[in-house]
Amino acid sequence: MTADLFDDLPVQPSSETIDDGAVVLRQFAKERENAVMAAIQWVTESAPLRHMQTPGGHTMSVAMSCCGELGWVTDARGYRYQSADPCTGKPWPSMPDVFERLAREAADAAGYRDFCPDACLINRYEPGAKMGLHQDKNESDFEQPIVSVSLGLPQVFQFGGLKRNERPVNITLAHGDVVVWGGPSRLRYHGVLRLKTGSHPLTGACRYNLTFRRAR
Ligand code: MD3
Ligand code: FE
């Protein structure tokens, strides 16, 4: 039985401000779940999900792919955005329309007009996978928000401060939830705890997170 995993999570769309500039749009992506999932499959058929290496030589537990003009990569040379997929040498797949519309509409709902992402990072977490506290600062303009979309199993997100030593607050991100991170929240430390085992009707035993960015 895994039903308890989904207890206490909202079913109706709602919007709440987590903190200055961070708005959670519960269930915002729910009615587009099939189209979004199909687009993830389409992207990852040509840009496969892969476990990249950190500059420190560790293999990331989250598997990643990208679409759009630019993709985020990490290897021994560091973290950066680039226009070619290092796995294939080809440009990243184009950003599916359903992705671009979802990101723009969510940003708009949170008060960020005309958001035009040029990069979408696709993260896939399997049970045990996590992401340690970090800041997203490889983008050139921190005035631009980041939009995140969660699909599949719920995962505990940690929202820290502007300094690594501030104690993070835990927020469960569930299937269909969208969060817009802008303004004073844009550079806050964040991460996700290990994914717990479970099964979701759309994604199976994993969670996907899409993050839409304006990288340049
Ligand atoms: C707060 N991803 O890809 S999404 C990442 O669940 C990343 O895959 C996590 O952190 C995930 O970089 C968290 C929520 C998120 C994304 C970007 C943020 C929160 C953020 C940027 C600034 C502040
Ligand atoms: Fe991040």
Side-chain angles (χ1 to χ4, degrees):
M1 266 293 278
T2 52
D4 56 322
L5 268 178
F6 306 108
D7 287 355
D8 304 325
L9 299 172
V11 232
Q12 290 299 118
S14 66
S15 147
E16 65 194 82
T17 296
I18 309 177
D19 214 325
D20 287 352
V23 180
V24 54
L25 306 165
R26 298 283 185 196
Q27 301 298 298
F28 194 87
K30 173 69 184 160
E31 58 186 22
R32 307 175 214 200
E33 62 183 358
N34 292 311
V36 172
M37 196 61 223
I40 293 173
Q41 301 296 5
W42 179 80
V43 168
T44 59
E45 270 161 33
S46 28
L49 288 156
R50 80 294 303 264
H51 295 271
M52 292 192 277
Q53 298 287 121
T54 66
H58 296 283
T59 301
M60 296 186 79
S61 60
V62 49
M64 297 176 157
S65 182
C66 300
C67 63
E69 256 174 84
L70 291 168
W72 185 86
V73 299
T74 171
D75 60 20
R77 285 152 49 211
Y79 304 122
R80 64 194 174 277
Y81 284 95
Q82 61 179 51
S83 56
D85 175 352
C87 266
T88 63
K90 294 187 300 186
W92 298 100
S94 58
M95 178 108 51
D97 279 351
V98 61
F99 278 18
E100 200 167 318
R101 281 199 205 107
L102 175 58
R104 178 188 293 267
E105 288 171 27
D108 209 61
Y112 298 94
R113 299 275 204 84
D114 300 318
F115 180 54
C116 187
D118 55 13
C120 172
L121 177 57
I122 301 173
N123 293 333
R124 187 196 61 201
Y125 297 85
E126 290 184 312
K130 63 178 168 59
M131 191 180 287
L133 278 185
H134 66 278
Q135 291 173 298
D136 287 16
K137 50 179 189 187
N138 296 125
E139 302 75 25
S140 53
D141 180 4
F142 301 139
E143 300 295 306
Q144 295 285 329
I146 290 180
V147 173
S148 77
V149 176
S150 294
L151 285 184
L153 292 174
Q155 192 164 16
V156 178
F157 170 76
Q158 298 196 295
F159 194 38
L162 291 172
K163 298 209 163 100
R164 189 188 289 280
N165 63 12
E166 282 177 59
R167 183 194 298 273
V169 296
N170 290 351
I171 300 165
T172 297
L173 294 179
H175 179 72
D177 289 350
V178 177
V179 194
V180 182
W181 315 89
S185 290
R186 177 63 182 78
L187 287 173
R188 285 174 64 166
Y189 278 87
H190 58 278
V192 290
L193 301 182
R194 287 182 184 286
L195 186 73
K196 291 187 187 164
T197 309
S199 178
H200 187 278
L202 187 69
T203 65
C206 71
R207 168 177 179 260
Y208 289 95
N209 183 263
L210 310 176
T211 45
F212 294 95
R213 299 125 187 279
R214 183 79 202 174
R216 68 158 166 245

